[in-house]
Amino acid sequence: DLEECGLELYFAHEFEVLGEVKVHELKPGGEDILVTDENKEEYINLMVSWRFTRGVEDQFKAFLEGFNEIVPIQWLQYFDERELELILVGIQDFDIQDWQAHTIYRNYRR
């Protein structure tokens, strides 16, 4: 029970950027919305979502724009997560013997 804990939380979070304290509302009007037992799950979901995306939103948008220039975003619907990982990352298992057999060594002695 939040009231028993004596916590007075609102749907806003204060954080510091270069010595300046800023407030981020987790939802519109969040500075005025008290977290209660009835809405605490929503608060937790919004806080976790904000914590995971904060600081990377601009970078993620830039990545998506660049990625979209190469592979249109709508094409992603045709792949599941494993196929997309294979396209982006490649095969994770390396055959070291095959690698060594097909490597040309220059200025190096084994």
Side-chain angles (χ1 to χ4, degrees):
D1 190 333
L2 288 172
E3 292 177 14
E4 289 177 10
C5 297
L7 292 176
E8 191 171 290
L9 296 172
Y10 291 86
F11 277 79
H13 180 70
E14 291 184 355
F15 63 103
E16 186 179 326
V17 176
L18 301 173
E20 180 183 346
V21 176
K22 297 187 176 200
V23 176
H24 172 77
E25 289 188 332
L26 299 172
K27 63 191 242 177
E31 286 188 283
D32 301 319
I33 302 172
L34 186 65
V35 177
T36 64
D37 281 330
E38 290 77 29
N39 65 14
K40 67 184 175 188
E41 187 173 340
E42 178 187 14
Y43 171 81
I44 291 169
N45 289 333
L46 289 170
M47 180 62 82
V48 167
S49 176
W50 178 72
R51 289 236 182 224
F52 279 127
T53 59
R54 142 184 103 161
V56 296
E57 190 171 346
D58 291 338
Q59 294 89 332
F60 187 69
K61 284 180 184 176
F63 169 79
L64 279 180
E65 287 175 13
F67 187 81
N68 190 44
E69 288 180 15
I70 299 167
V71 178
I73 298 297
Q74 60 269 25
W75 288 7
L76 297 181
Q77 67 184 336
Y78 302 115
F79 303 102
D80 66 24
E81 68 277 1
R82 287 168 286 154
E83 293 168 328
L84 188 57
E85 180 182 13
L86 185 61
I87 291 169
L88 294 174
V89 181
I91 296 174
Q92 296 298 313
D93 297 324
F94 297 104
D95 184 343
I96 300 299
Q97 291 174 342
D98 182 62
W99 212 6
Q100 290 173 337
H102 295 92
T103 299
I104 299 172
Y105 293 95
R106 292 190 182 102
N107 301 320
Y108 177 79
R109 256 187 271 187
R110 293 178 64 179

